[in-house]
Amino acid sequence: MPPIADHPLRYAMANELHARPFPSVSAPSRAAFLALKPAENAAGRDREADRRHLIDLLDRFGAKHPPPEATHYFGEIGKHQLKWESHTEFVTYTIFGDGVAERPFDAATFAVFPQDWLENAPGTRMTSALIRVEVAEGDDGIAEKVQNWLVPESLAISRVLEDDLVIAGDFRIDTAGHMRFALFARPHVGKRRIGRVIQRLCEIETYKAMSMLGLSRARALGPQMGKADAALSKLLSDMCGDTADPAAILQELLEISAELENTIAQSEFRFGAAGAYETIVNQRIAILREERFGGRQTFGEFMMRRFDPAMRTVKSTQGRLRAMSDRALRAGNLLRTRVDVERSAQNQDLLTSMDKRADLQLRLQRTVEGLSVVAISYYAVNLVLYLTGPLEQSFGISKVVMAAVATPLVLFAVWLMVQRIRKHME
């Protein structure tokens, strides 16, 4: 029996689910994270440039290259491990190293990325973070450490994965330009679980930063939307008047509608991406299964208080744009209906006027036809009298009698001829 044929993409799609394995990280350890994104047209960027930039870093450590068209890489670079991922709008680099620096969140950890390599990056830094992983059998000392390391007013700390780890962060950019996260792992926690939590923290920070681009776009659109809303409201008010020119209002309304549609087209991707990134942030936090630590706010509570209002602003702006576009569309339909009604009335008046002129022309034509019959009959009677002139002498019939007899007959004959000509023309 011949083997069953596989779909051409079967293996590729199955392997895609396993293409981005979590790193294995022991405690104590440290990590440096970097996310790069072009300032403009990130989704349409040159992905080969990202690959060349990665290979440049690997060549500095004599590491193996990823296969062509790869979107993920994990390997050794010197004494460290590197994890690289390519996403729709950005690429991420995460370097893992054993042990922790004596000084918490020392910027030297980030120095694994060469300075000249960072300067030649095909994009800008979207976010970067330093992550410190320590072993903690109990809770003693954790609160004091994070209180000294991080900003207390924005500190978020929680127990995760049934108290296997305690995570902390303040989502503040330090003087070196990095975010800071601390992990305290229980002695029995495995390397893969630590690696998964580090990966989740990096994803939360990255997707949070990416979704905040939607807020920036929403704020930039505020003045523009205000002007468009005021202009639209004025046009709708003018529509209610009797003196306004509907055609002129319709033209202005079409211009506003075109501007709104152009704004929606330019903003739809960013707002849609912000919504998708927000969902990922909330999912990553939910997976951690947080529990409160020492009465402090959790990561989920921090996002609810600081992050969620920003995303609601994005959704509100997106909804307002669509509502304004729909309002302009409805107003345009009403105005076009009004213009059509007025044009129909004008057409009706024109048709009535044409009917009157046609009736007048018909009466004039009949008058002319009647005069034509008289004129033609007059000349025809004269011709008949000339033709019958000899009868006057032969039979003694006077000319008056002959005219009296011939005139009705000629009139009738001419009338029949005119009627026949009219029917033939019809």
Side-chain angles (χ1 to χ4, degrees):
M1 179 179 178
I4 186 171
D6 287 323
H7 190 280
L9 298 178
R10 180 192 176 202
Y11 284 94
M13 294 298 98
N15 294 334
E16 181 66 22
L17 300 177
H18 310 282
R20 302 173 187 267
F22 292 104
S24 296
V25 182
S26 59
S29 61
R30 64 191 185 279
F33 175 77
L34 173 65
L36 296 173
K37 172 191 175 298
E40 301 292 339
N41 192 27
R45 70 187 186 278
D46 181 7
R47 297 178 184 270
E48 187 59 29
D50 296 337
R51 175 181 166 82
R52 291 194 299 269
H53 193 230
L54 169 64
I55 291 176
D56 181 20
L57 179 62
L58 298 178
D59 288 344
R60 295 173 186 242
F61 295 92
K64 294 182 179 180
H65 292 182
E69 306 298 330
T71 59
H72 172 271
Y73 174 84
F74 188 85
E76 303 286 338
I77 54 170
K79 297 180 180 180
H80 302 84
Q81 292 179 317
L82 171 68
K83 180 180 176 65
W84 173 84
E85 290 183 325
S86 176
H87 299 265
T88 302
E89 292 191 86
F90 58 90
V91 294
T92 60
Y93 294 82
T94 312
I95 290 180
F96 304 93
D98 293 331
V100 293
E102 183 177 350
R103 179 184 176 186
F105 305 107
D106 189 348
T109 304
F110 202 79
V112 179
F113 296 112
Q115 184 62 34
D116 63 322
W117 180 83
L118 291 172
E119 294 174 356
N120 295 326
T124 58
R125 174 168 58 176
M126 195 65 220
T127 188
S128 61
L130 298 175
I131 302 170
R132 182 182 179 91
V133 183
E134 293 188 1
V135 178
E137 293 188 8
D139 296 340
D140 294 340
I142 294 180
E144 290 77 9
K145 287 181 179 180
V146 298
Q147 193 78 11
N148 294 329
W149 295 346
L150 306 173
V151 179
E153 67 177 25
S154 57
L155 173 64
I157 180 171
S158 62
R159 308 174 191 274
V160 298
L161 303 180
E162 291 75 42
D163 198 27
D164 274 356
L165 299 98
V166 175
I167 59 174
D170 58 6
F171 296 98
R172 298 270 189 171
I173 300 177
D174 64 13
T175 55
H178 310 299
M179 296 286 180
R180 295 168 295 177
F181 296 100
L183 276 76
F184 301 91
R186 307 308 183 189
H188 66 274
V189 178
K191 296 181 180 180
R192 291 189 176 277
R193 173 155 284 198
I194 295 175
R196 284 197 295 271
V197 174
I198 292 176
Q199 180 73 15
R200 297 309 183 201
L201 288 177
C202 292
E203 291 173 345
I204 290 171
E205 167 54 28
T206 304
Y207 290 115
K208 173 190 69 67
M210 291 296 299
S211 58
M212 291 298 287
L213 292 176
L215 177 63
S216 176
R217 179 63 176 164
R219 287 176 173 173
L221 288 176
Q224 180 181 349
M225 291 173 58
K227 292 180 181 179
D229 196 8
L232 182 58
S233 298
K234 182 179 182 301
L235 287 178
L236 293 176
S237 177
D238 292 342
M239 286 175 57
C240 299
D242 297 330
T243 59
D245 181 9
I249 295 178
L250 181 59
Q251 181 61 34
E252 294 182 32
L253 192 58
L254 290 176
E255 293 176 1
I256 294 177
S257 297
E259 181 181 353
L260 288 173
E261 290 300 322
N262 182 53
T263 302
I264 291 175
Q266 293 181 350
S267 306
E268 193 68 18
F269 175 81
R270 178 48 52 207
F271 289 158
Y277 295 144
E278 177 198 7
T279 300
I280 295 176
V281 169
N282 293 330
Q283 287 178 343
R284 297 300 187 265
I285 292 176
I287 289 173
L288 292 174
R289 304 194 294 278
E290 290 185 289
E291 298 176 6
R292 193 177 299 279
F293 181 93
R296 303 303 297 263
Q297 68 177 347
T298 64
F299 279 61
E301 290 174 333
F302 176 88
M303 294 300 172
M304 179 183 67
R305 295 175 181 175
R306 312 288 181 90
F307 178 68
D308 289 355
M311 294 300 100
R312 284 195 292 270
T313 300
V314 173
K315 294 176 182 177
S316 175
T317 301
Q318 186 179 20
R320 184 185 176 193
L321 265 177
R322 291 176 177 174
M324 288 173 61
S325 178
D326 292 341
R327 186 153 55 108
L329 180 61
R330 290 194 300 270
N333 291 334
L334 290 173
L335 197 54
R336 277 191 290 268
T337 302
R338 179 177 173 181
V339 171
D340 291 341
V341 170
E342 292 184 357
R343 288 179 178 175
S344 298
Q346 293 175 357
N347 293 337
Q348 185 65 34
D349 293 339
L350 180 60
L351 290 175
T352 302
S353 176
M354 292 175 63
D355 287 342
K356 290 181 179 179
R357 286 197 297 268
D359 184 61
L360 182 60
Q361 289 176 355
L362 180 60
R363 292 181 181 180
L364 181 60
Q365 179 181 349
R366 290 177 178 175
T367 302
V368 171
E369 288 177 358
L371 294 175
S372 299
V373 169
V374 173
I376 294 172
S377 298
Y378 174 77
Y379 289 106
V381 168
N382 288 330
L383 290 175
V384 170
L385 292 177
Y386 278 118
L387 292 175
T388 59
L391 296 177
E392 181 180 356
Q393 296 177 355
S394 300
F395 296 98
I397 302 174
S398 67
K399 187 175 183 179
V400 176
V401 174
M402 294 179 60
V405 174
T407 298
L409 296 176
V410 171
L411 284 173
F412 182 71
V414 172
W415 181 81
L416 287 177
M417 180 185 68
V418 171
Q419 292 299 317
R420 185 174 183 182
I421 293 174
R422 180 193 295 175
K423 289 182 180 180
H424 180 72
M425 293 180 62
E426 292 176 352

